[in-house]
Coordinates of all heavy atoms in Angstrom, one line a residue:
M911 N 37.8 0.3 -6.0 CA 37.3 0.0 -7.4 C 37.7 1.2 -8.3 O 37.5 2.3 -8.0 CB 35.8 -0.2 -7.4 CG 35.4 -1.5 -6.6 SD 35.8 -3.0 -7.5 CE 34.5 -3.0 -8.8
T912 N 38.1 0.8 -9.5 CA 38.4 1.9 -10.5 C 37.2 1.8 -11.5 O 36.6 0.8 -11.7 CB 39.7 1.6 -11.2 OG1 39.7 0.3 -11.7 CG2 40.9 1.8 -10.2
S913 N 37.0 2.9 -12.1 CA 36.0 3.0 -13.1 C 36.7 3.3 -14.4 O 36.4 4.3 -15.1 CB 34.9 4.0 -12.8 OG 35.5 5.3 -12.6
C914 N 37.6 2.5 -14.8 CA 38.4 2.7 -16.0 C 37.6 2.4 -17.2 O 37.0 1.3 -17.3 CB 39.7 1.9 -15.9 SG 40.8 2.2 -17.3
R915 N 37.6 3.3 -18.1 CA 36.9 3.1 -19.4 C 37.8 2.5 -20.5 O 37.4 2.4 -21.6 CB 36.2 4.4 -19.8 CG 35.0 4.7 -19.0 CD 34.5 6.1 -19.2 NE 34.3 6.4 -20.6 CZ 35.0 7.4 -21.2 NH1 35.8 8.2 -20.5 NH2 34.8 7.6 -22.5
H916 N 39.1 2.3 -20.1 CA 40.0 1.7 -21.0 C 40.1 2.6 -22.3 O 40.0 2.1 -23.4 CB 39.7 0.3 -21.4 CG 39.3 -0.6 -20.2 ND1 40.1 -0.6 -19.1 CD2 38.3 -1.4 -20.0 CE1 39.5 -1.4 -18.2 NE2 38.4 -1.9 -18.8
A917 N 40.3 3.8 -22.1 CA 40.4 4.8 -23.2 C 41.8 4.8 -23.9 O 41.9 5.1 -25.1 CB 40.0 6.2 -22.8
N918 N 42.8 4.6 -23.1 CA 44.1 4.6 -23.7 C 44.6 3.2 -23.9 O 45.3 2.6 -23.1 CB 45.1 5.3 -22.7 CG 44.8 6.8 -22.6 OD1 44.5 7.4 -23.7 ND2 44.8 7.3 -21.4
L919 N 44.4 2.7 -25.1 CA 44.8 1.3 -25.4 C 46.1 1.3 -26.2 O 46.2 2.1 -27.2 CB 43.7 0.6 -26.2 CG 42.4 0.4 -25.4 CD1 41.4 -0.3 -26.3 CD2 42.6 -0.5 -24.2
E920 N 46.9 0.4 -25.8 CA 48.2 0.3 -26.5 C 48.2 -1.1 -27.2 O 47.9 -2.1 -26.6 CB 49.3 0.3 -25.4 CG 50.7 0.0 -26.0 CD 51.7 -0.3 -24.9 OE1 51.3 -0.3 -23.7 OE2 52.9 -0.4 -25.2
L921 N 48.5 -1.1 -28.5 CA 48.5 -2.3 -29.2 C 49.7 -3.1 -28.9 O 50.8 -2.7 -28.9 CB 48.5 -2.0 -30.7 CG 48.5 -3.2 -31.7 CD1 47.3 -4.1 -31.5 CD2 48.6 -2.7 -33.1
L922 N 49.4 -4.4 -28.5 CA 50.5 -5.3 -28.2 C 50.9 -6.0 -29.5 O 50.1 -6.8 -30.0 CB 50.2 -6.3 -27.1 CG 49.7 -5.7 -25.8 CD1 49.3 -6.8 -24.9 CD2 50.9 -4.9 -25.2
V923 N 52.0 -5.8 -30.0 CA 52.4 -6.5 -31.2 C 53.1 -7.8 -30.9 O 54.1 -7.8 -30.2 CB 53.4 -5.6 -32.1 CG1 53.8 -6.3 -33.4 CG2 52.8 -4.2 -32.3
E924 N 52.6 -8.9 -31.4 CA 53.2 -10.2 -31.3 C 53.9 -10.5 -32.5 O 53.3 -10.8 -33.6 CB 52.1 -11.2 -30.9 CG 51.5 -11.0 -29.6 CD 50.6 -12.1 -29.2 OE1 51.0 -13.3 -29.4 OE2 49.5 -11.9 -28.7
R925 N 55.2 -10.6 -32.4 CA 56.0 -10.9 -33.6 C 56.3 -12.4 -33.7 O 57.4 -12.8 -33.4 CB 57.3 -10.1 -33.6 CG 57.1 -8.6 -33.7 CD 58.4 -7.9 -33.6 NE 59.4 -8.4 -34.5 CZ 59.5 -8.2 -35.8 NH1 58.6 -7.4 -36.3 NH2 60.4 -8.7 -36.5
K926 N 55.2 -13.1 -34.0 CA 55.4 -14.5 -34.1 C 55.6 -14.8 -35.6 O 54.8 -14.5 -36.5 CB 54.2 -15.2 -33.6 CG 54.3 -16.7 -33.8 CD 53.6 -17.4 -32.6 CE 53.7 -18.9 -32.7 NZ 55.0 -19.5 -32.5
I927 N 56.8 -15.4 -35.9 CA 57.1 -15.7 -37.2 C 57.3 -17.3 -37.4 O 57.9 -17.9 -36.6 CB 58.4 -15.0 -37.6 CG1 58.2 -13.5 -37.5 CG2 58.9 -15.4 -39.0 CD1 59.5 -12.7 -37.7
T928 N 56.7 -17.8 -38.4 CA 56.9 -19.2 -38.7 C 57.7 -19.3 -40.0 O 57.5 -18.5 -40.9 CB 55.5 -19.9 -39.0 OG1 54.7 -19.7 -37.8 CG2 55.7 -21.3 -39.3
M929 N 58.7 -20.2 -40.0 CA 59.5 -20.4 -41.2 C 59.0 -21.7 -41.9 O 58.8 -22.7 -41.2 CB 61.0 -20.6 -40.8 CG 61.5 -19.4 -39.9 SD 61.5 -17.9 -40.8 CE 63.0 -18.0 -41.8
R930 N 58.9 -21.6 -43.2 CA 58.5 -22.8 -43.9 C 59.6 -23.2 -44.9 O 60.0 -22.3 -45.7 CB 57.2 -22.6 -44.7 CG 56.7 -23.8 -45.4 CD 55.3 -23.7 -45.9 NE 55.2 -22.7 -46.9 CZ 54.1 -22.2 -47.4 NH1 52.9 -22.7 -46.9 NH2 54.0 -21.3 -48.4
C931 N 60.0 -24.4 -44.9 CA 61.0 -24.9 -45.8 C 60.4 -24.9 -47.2 O 59.3 -25.4 -47.4 CB 61.4 -26.3 -45.4 SG 62.6 -27.0 -46.5
R932 N 61.2 -24.4 -48.1 CA 60.7 -24.4 -49.5 C 60.8 -25.7 -50.2 O 60.2 -26.0 -51.2 CB 61.5 -23.4 -50.4 CG 61.3 -21.9 -50.0 CD 62.1 -21.0 -50.9 NE 62.2 -19.7 -50.4 CZ 61.3 -18.7 -50.7 NH1 60.3 -19.0 -51.4 NH2 61.5 -17.5 -50.2
R933 N 61.5 -26.6 -49.6 CA 61.7 -27.9 -50.2 C 60.7 -28.9 -49.7 O 60.0 -29.6 -50.5 CB 63.1 -28.4 -50.0 CG 64.1 -27.6 -50.8 CD 65.5 -27.8 -50.3 NE 66.4 -26.8 -50.9 CZ 67.1 -27.0 -52.0 NH1 66.9 -28.0 -52.7 NH2 67.8 -26.0 -52.4
C934 N 60.6 -29.1 -48.4 CA 59.7 -30.1 -47.9 C 58.4 -29.5 -47.2 O 57.5 -30.2 -46.8 CB 60.4 -31.0 -46.9 SG 60.8 -30.1 -45.3
H935 N 58.4 -28.2 -47.2 CA 57.2 -27.4 -46.6 C 57.0 -27.7 -45.2 O 55.9 -27.5 -44.6 CB 56.0 -27.7 -47.4 CG 56.1 -27.3 -48.9 ND1 55.6 -28.0 -49.9 CD2 56.7 -26.2 -49.4 CE1 55.9 -27.4 -51.1 NE2 56.6 -26.3 -50.8
L936 N 58.0 -28.2 -44.5 CA 58.0 -28.3 -43.0 C 57.9 -26.8 -42.5 O 58.6 -25.9 -42.9 CB 59.2 -29.0 -42.5 CG 59.4 -29.1 -41.0 CD1 58.4 -30.1 -40.4 CD2 60.8 -29.4 -40.6
T937 N 57.0 -26.7 -41.5 CA 57.0 -25.4 -40.8 C 57.5 -25.4 -39.4 O 57.3 -26.4 -38.7 CB 55.5 -24.8 -40.7 OG1 54.7 -25.8 -40.1 CG2 55.0 -24.5 -42.1
L938 N 58.3 -24.4 -39.1 CA 59.0 -24.4 -37.8 C 58.8 -23.0 -37.2 O 58.7 -22.0 -37.9 CB 60.5 -24.6 -38.0 CG 61.0 -26.0 -38.2 CD1 62.4 -26.0 -38.7 CD2 60.9 -26.8 -36.9
D939 N 58.8 -22.9 -35.9 CA 58.8 -21.7 -35.2 C 60.2 -21.0 -35.5 O 61.2 -21.7 -35.4 CB 58.7 -21.9 -33.7 CG 58.1 -20.8 -33.0 OD1 58.8 -19.8 -32.7 OD2 56.9 -20.9 -32.8
A940 N 60.2 -19.7 -35.8 CA 61.4 -19.1 -36.1 C 62.4 -19.1 -35.0 O 63.6 -19.3 -35.1 CB 61.2 -17.6 -36.5
E941 N 61.9 -19.0 -33.8 CA 62.7 -19.0 -32.6 C 63.4 -20.4 -32.4 O 64.5 -20.6 -32.0 CB 61.9 -18.7 -31.3 CG 61.6 -17.3 -31.2 CD 60.7 -17.0 -29.9 OE1 60.7 -17.8 -29.0 OE2 60.1 -16.0 -29.9
E942 N 62.5 -21.4 -32.7 CA 63.0 -22.8 -32.6 C 64.1 -23.1 -33.6 O 65.1 -23.8 -33.3 CB 61.8 -23.7 -32.8 CG 61.9 -25.1 -32.4 CD 60.6 -25.9 -32.7 OE1 59.5 -25.3 -32.4 OE2 60.7 -27.0 -33.2
L943 N 63.9 -22.6 -34.8 CA 64.8 -22.8 -35.9 C 66.1 -22.1 -35.7 O 67.2 -22.7 -35.9 CB 64.2 -22.4 -37.2 CG 65.0 -22.5 -38.5 CD1 65.3 -24.0 -38.8 CD2 64.3 -21.9 -39.6
G944 N 66.0 -20.9 -35.3 CA 67.2 -20.1 -35.1 C 67.9 -19.9 -36.5 O 67.3 -19.5 -37.4
D945 N 69.2 -20.2 -36.5 CA 70.0 -20.1 -37.7 C 70.2 -21.5 -38.3 O 71.1 -21.7 -39.2 CB 71.3 -19.4 -37.5 CG 71.2 -17.9 -37.1 OD1 70.2 -17.3 -37.6 OD2 72.0 -17.4 -36.3
G946 N 69.4 -22.4 -37.9 CA 69.7 -23.8 -38.3 C 69.2 -24.2 -39.6 O 68.6 -23.4 -40.3
H947 N 69.4 -25.4 -39.9 CA 68.9 -25.9 -41.2 C 67.6 -26.7 -41.0 O 67.2 -26.9 -39.9 CB 70.0 -26.9 -41.8 CG 70.4 -28.0 -40.8 ND1 71.4 -27.8 -39.9 CD2 69.8 -29.2 -40.6 CE1 71.5 -28.9 -39.2 NE2 70.6 -29.8 -39.6
C948 N 67.0 -27.1 -42.1 CA 65.8 -27.8 -42.0 C 66.0 -29.3 -41.5 O 66.8 -30.0 -42.2 CB 65.1 -27.8 -43.4 SG 63.6 -28.9 -43.4
P949 N 65.5 -29.7 -40.4 CA 65.8 -31.0 -39.9 C 65.1 -32.1 -40.7 O 65.7 -33.2 -40.8 CB 65.1 -31.0 -38.5 CG 64.1 -29.9 -38.5 CD 64.6 -28.9 -39.5
E950 N 64.0 -31.8 -41.4 CA 63.3 -32.8 -42.2 C 64.2 -33.1 -43.5 O 64.4 -34.3 -43.8 CB 62.0 -32.2 -42.6 CG 61.1 -33.2 -43.3 CD 60.5 -34.3 -42.4 OE1 60.4 -34.0 -41.2 OE2 60.3 -35.4 -42.9
C951 N 64.7 -32.1 -44.1 CA 65.5 -32.3 -45.3 C 66.8 -33.0 -44.9 O 67.3 -33.8 -45.6 CB 65.8 -30.9 -46.0 SG 64.4 -30.2 -46.8
F952 N 67.3 -32.6 -43.8 CA 68.6 -33.2 -43.3 C 68.3 -34.7 -43.0 O 69.2 -35.5 -43.4 CB 69.1 -32.5 -42.1 CG 70.4 -33.0 -41.6 CD1 71.5 -32.7 -42.4 CD2 70.6 -33.6 -40.4 CE1 72.8 -33.1 -42.0 CE2 71.8 -34.1 -40.0 CZ 72.9 -33.8 -40.8
D953 N 67.2 -35.0 -42.5 CA 66.8 -36.4 -42.2 C 66.7 -37.2 -43.5 O 67.2 -38.3 -43.6 CB 65.5 -36.5 -41.5 CG 65.7 -36.5 -40.0 OD1 66.9 -36.3 -39.5 OD2 64.7 -36.5 -39.2
S954 N 66.1 -36.6 -44.5 CA 65.8 -37.4 -45.7 C 66.9 -37.4 -46.7 O 67.1 -38.4 -47.4 CB 64.5 -36.9 -46.4 OG 64.7 -35.5 -46.7
S955 N 67.7 -36.4 -46.7 CA 68.8 -36.3 -47.8 C 70.2 -36.1 -47.2 O 71.1 -36.2 -47.9 CB 68.5 -35.2 -48.8 OG 68.6 -34.0 -48.1
G956 N 70.2 -35.8 -45.9 CA 71.5 -35.6 -45.3 C 72.2 -34.3 -45.7 O 73.3 -34.0 -45.4
T957 N 71.4 -33.4 -46.4 CA 71.9 -32.1 -46.8 C 71.3 -31.0 -45.9 O 70.1 -31.1 -45.6 CB 71.5 -31.9 -48.3 OG1 71.7 -33.1 -49.0 CG2 72.3 -30.7 -48.8
R958 N 72.1 -30.0 -45.6 CA 71.6 -28.9 -44.8 C 71.0 -27.9 -45.8 O 71.7 -27.3 -46.6 CB 72.7 -28.3 -44.0 CG 73.1 -29.2 -42.8 CD 74.2 -28.5 -42.0 NE 74.5 -29.2 -40.8 CZ 75.4 -30.2 -40.7 NH1 76.1 -30.6 -41.8 NH2 75.6 -30.8 -39.6
H959 N 69.7 -27.7 -45.6 CA 69.1 -26.6 -46.4 C 68.7 -25.5 -45.6 O 68.2 -25.6 -44.5 CB 67.8 -27.2 -47.1 CG 68.1 -28.1 -48.2 ND1 68.9 -27.8 -49.3 CD2 67.8 -29.4 -48.4 CE1 69.0 -28.8 -50.1 NE2 68.4 -29.9 -49.6
F960 N 68.9 -24.3 -46.1 CA 68.6 -23.1 -45.4 C 67.6 -22.2 -46.2 O 67.6 -21.0 -46.1 CB 69.8 -22.2 -45.1 CG 70.8 -23.0 -44.2 CD1 71.8 -23.7 -44.8 CD2 70.8 -22.8 -42.8 CE1 72.7 -24.4 -44.0 CE2 71.7 -23.5 -42.1 CZ 72.7 -24.3 -42.7
D961 N 66.8 -23.0 -47.0 CA 65.9 -22.3 -47.9 C 64.5 -22.2 -47.3 O 63.6 -23.0 -47.6 CB 65.9 -23.2 -49.2 CG 65.5 -22.3 -50.4 OD1 65.3 -21.1 -50.3 OD2 65.3 -22.9 -51.5
F962 N 64.3 -21.1 -46.6 CA 63.0 -20.9 -45.9 C 62.3 -19.7 -46.4 O 63.0 -18.7 -46.8 CB 63.2 -20.8 -44.4 CG 63.8 -22.0 -43.8 CD1 65.2 -22.1 -43.5 CD2 63.0 -23.1 -43.4 CE1 65.7 -23.3 -42.9 CE2 63.5 -24.2 -42.8 CZ 64.8 -24.3 -42.6
E963 N 61.0 -19.7 -46.2 CA 60.3 -18.4 -46.4 C 59.6 -18.1 -45.1 O 59.2 -19.0 -44.3 CB 59.3 -18.5 -47.6 CG 58.2 -19.6 -47.4 CD 57.3 -19.6 -48.6 OE1 56.9 -18.5 -49.1 OE2 57.0 -20.7 -49.0
E964 N 59.5 -16.8 -44.8 CA 58.8 -16.4 -43.6 C 57.3 -16.3 -43.7 O 56.8 -15.8 -44.7 CB 59.4 -15.0 -43.2 CG 60.7 -15.1 -42.6 CD 61.1 -13.7 -42.0 OE1 60.2 -12.8 -41.9 OE2 62.3 -13.5 -41.8
L965 N 56.6 -16.9 -42.8 CA 55.2 -16.7 -42.7 C 54.9 -15.9 -41.5 O 55.1 -16.3 -40.4 CB 54.5 -18.0 -42.6 CG 54.8 -19.1 -43.7 CD1 54.1 -20.4 -43.3 CD2 54.4 -18.7 -45.1
T966 N 54.5 -14.7 -41.7 CA 54.1 -13.9 -40.5 C 52.6 -13.9 -40.3 O 51.8 -14.0 -41.2 CB 54.5 -12.4 -40.7 OG1 54.1 -12.0 -42.0 CG2 56.0 -12.2 -40.6
H967 N 52.3 -13.9 -39.0 CA 50.9 -13.9 -38.6 C 50.3 -12.5 -38.5 O 50.1 -12.1 -37.4 CB 50.7 -14.7 -37.4 CG 51.2 -16.2 -37.5 ND1 50.4 -17.1 -38.0 CD2 52.4 -16.7 -37.2 CE1 51.1 -18.3 -38.0 NE2 52.3 -18.0 -37.6
G968 N 50.2 -11.9 -39.6 CA 49.7 -10.5 -39.6 C 48.1 -10.6 -39.5 O 47.6 -11.6 -39.1
G969 N 47.5 -9.5 -39.9 CA 46.1 -9.5 -40.0 C 45.4 -9.1 -38.7 O 46.1 -9.1 -37.6
G970 N 44.2 -8.9 -38.8 CA 43.4 -8.3 -37.6 C 43.1 -9.3 -36.5 O 43.0 -8.9 -35.4
Q971 N 43.0 -10.6 -36.9 CA 42.4 -11.5 -35.8 C 43.4 -11.7 -34.7 O 44.6 -11.9 -34.9 CB 42.1 -12.8 -36.5 CG 40.9 -12.7 -37.4 CD 40.0 -13.9 -37.3 OE1 40.6 -15.0 -37.2 NE2 38.7 -13.8 -37.4
G972 N 42.9 -11.6 -33.5 CA 43.6 -11.9 -32.3 C 44.5 -10.8 -31.9 O 45.4 -11.0 -31.1
A973 N 44.3 -9.5 -32.4 CA 45.1 -8.4 -31.9 C 44.8 -8.1 -30.5 O 43.6 -8.3 -30.0 CB 44.7 -7.2 -32.7
R974 N 45.8 -7.8 -29.7 CA 45.6 -7.6 -28.3 C 46.0 -6.2 -27.9 O 46.9 -5.6 -28.5 CB 46.4 -8.6 -27.5 CG 46.0 -10.0 -27.8 CD 46.4 -11.0 -26.7 NE 47.8 -10.9 -26.5 CZ 48.4 -11.2 -25.3 NH1 47.7 -11.7 -24.3 NH2 49.7 -11.2 -25.2
Y975 N 45.3 -5.6 -27.0 CA 45.5 -4.3 -26.5 C 45.6 -4.3 -25.0 O 45.0 -5.0 -24.3 CB 44.3 -3.4 -26.9 CG 44.0 -3.3 -28.4 CD1 43.3 -4.3 -29.0 CD2 44.6 -2.3 -29.2 CE1 43.0 -4.3 -30.4 CE2 44.4 -2.3 -30.5 CZ 43.6 -3.3 -31.1 OH 43.4 -3.2 -32.5
R976 N 46.5 -3.4 -24.6 CA 46.6 -3.2 -23.1 C 46.2 -1.8 -22.8 O 46.6 -0.8 -23.4 CB 48.0 -3.5 -22.7 CG 48.2 -3.4 -21.1 CD 49.5 -3.9 -20.7 NE 50.6 -3.1 -21.3 CZ 51.8 -3.5 -21.6 NH1 52.0 -4.7 -21.4 NH2 52.6 -2.7 -22.1
C977 N 45.4 -1.7 -21.7 CA 45.0 -0.4 -21.2 C 46.1 0.2 -20.5 O 46.7 -0.4 -19.5 CB 43.7 -0.6 -20.4 SG 43.2 1.0 -19.6
E978 N 46.5 1.4 -20.9 CA 47.6 2.1 -20.2 C 47.2 2.6 -18.8 O 48.1 2.8 -18.0 CB 48.1 3.3 -21.0 CG 48.8 2.8 -22.3 CD 49.3 3.9 -23.1 OE1 49.1 5.1 -22.7 OE2 50.0 3.7 -24.2
E979 N 46.0 2.7 -18.6 CA 45.5 3.2 -17.3 C 45.5 2.1 -16.2 O 46.1 2.2 -15.1 CB 44.1 3.7 -17.4 CG 43.9 4.8 -18.4 CD 44.6 6.1 -18.0 OE1 44.7 6.4 -16.8 OE2 45.2 6.8 -18.9
C980 N 44.9 1.0 -16.5 CA 44.7 -0.1 -15.5 C 45.5 -1.4 -15.8 O 45.5 -2.3 -15.0 CB 43.2 -0.4 -15.3 SG 42.4 -1.2 -16.7
G981 N 46.0 -1.5 -17.0 CA 46.8 -2.6 -17.4 C 46.1 -3.8 -17.8 O 46.7 -4.9 -18.1
I982 N 44.8 -3.8 -17.9 CA 44.0 -4.9 -18.4 C 44.3 -5.2 -19.9 O 44.6 -4.3 -20.6 CB 42.5 -4.7 -18.2 CG1 41.8 -6.0 -18.3 CG2 41.9 -3.7 -19.2 CD1 40.3 -5.9 -17.9
V983 N 44.4 -6.5 -20.3 CA 44.6 -6.8 -21.6 C 43.3 -7.3 -22.3 O 42.6 -8.1 -21.8 CB 45.7 -8.0 -21.7 CG1 45.9 -8.4 -23.2 CG2 47.0 -7.5 -21.2
I984 N 43.0 -6.7 -23.4 CA 41.8 -6.9 -24.1 C 42.1 -7.5 -25.5 O 43.0 -7.1 -26.2 CB 41.0 -5.6 -24.4 CG1 40.7 -4.9 -23.0 CG2 39.8 -5.8 -25.2 CD1 40.2 -3.5 -23.1
T985 N 41.4 -8.6 -25.8 CA 41.6 -9.2 -27.1 C 40.4 -8.8 -28.0 O 39.3 -8.9 -27.5 CB 41.6 -10.7 -27.0 OG1 42.6 -11.1 -26.1 CG2 42.0 -11.3 -28.4
G986 N 40.7 -8.3 -29.2 CA 39.6 -7.9 -30.0 C 40.0 -7.4 -31.3 O 41.2 -7.4 -31.6
P987 N 39.0 -7.1 -32.2 CA 39.3 -6.6 -33.5 C 39.9 -5.3 -33.4 O 39.7 -4.5 -32.5 CB 38.0 -6.6 -34.2 CG 37.0 -6.5 -33.1 CD 37.6 -7.2 -32.0
P988 N 40.8 -4.9 -34.4 CA 41.4 -3.6 -34.3 C 40.4 -2.4 -34.5 O 39.4 -2.6 -35.1 CB 42.4 -3.6 -35.5 CG 42.0 -4.7 -36.3 CD 41.2 -5.7 -35.5
Ligands
ZN1792 ZN1 41.6 0.4 -18.2
ZN1793 ZN1 62.9 -29.1 -45.5

């Protein structure tokens, strides 16, 4: 048994990015979208639009930390 007090916490950064189409406001996972065009706009107008804005999920909620000593992952406020 270890008596780790989890003193050395490393912040795990999750770079999850959502792309939102400026025209139809469809949201897509950035990984899913890749370099592609908006499928919704393509469906409705047959035109390839690459007009997206990035929505990043920043902010404090759901930050995760990993203890460098024992490797446990803790979810909590920063
Ligand atoms: Zn620990
Ligand atoms: Zn669109």
Side-chain angles (χ1 to χ4, degrees):
M911 291 289 282
T912 56
S913 56
C914 183
R915 287 168 47 240
H916 316 311
N918 292 316
L919 294 179
E920 173 193 7
L921 177 63
L922 301 177
V923 181
E924 293 188 41
R925 294 178 50 80
K926 178 142 177 77
I927 300 173
T928 303
M929 306 298 279
R930 183 170 65 190
C931 177
R932 290 182 196 272
R933 293 167 191 268
C934 69
H935 299 140
L936 176 76
T937 55
L938 282 165
D939 208 280
E941 285 178 21
E942 199 180 315
L943 178 66
D945 292 327
H947 56 271
C948 174
E950 188 70 27
C951 286
F952 187 67
D953 271 1
S954 59
S955 66
T957 316
R958 291 183 171 87
H959 288 299
F960 300 87
D961 201 6
F962 296 98
E963 63 182 316
E964 281 186 15
L965 308 174
T966 47
H967 300 276
Q971 289 216 325
R974 300 200 304 156
Y975 300 85
R976 182 172 60 214
C977 177
E978 289 182 358
E979 304 291 325
C980 70
I982 196 173
V983 175
I984 299 167
T985 307

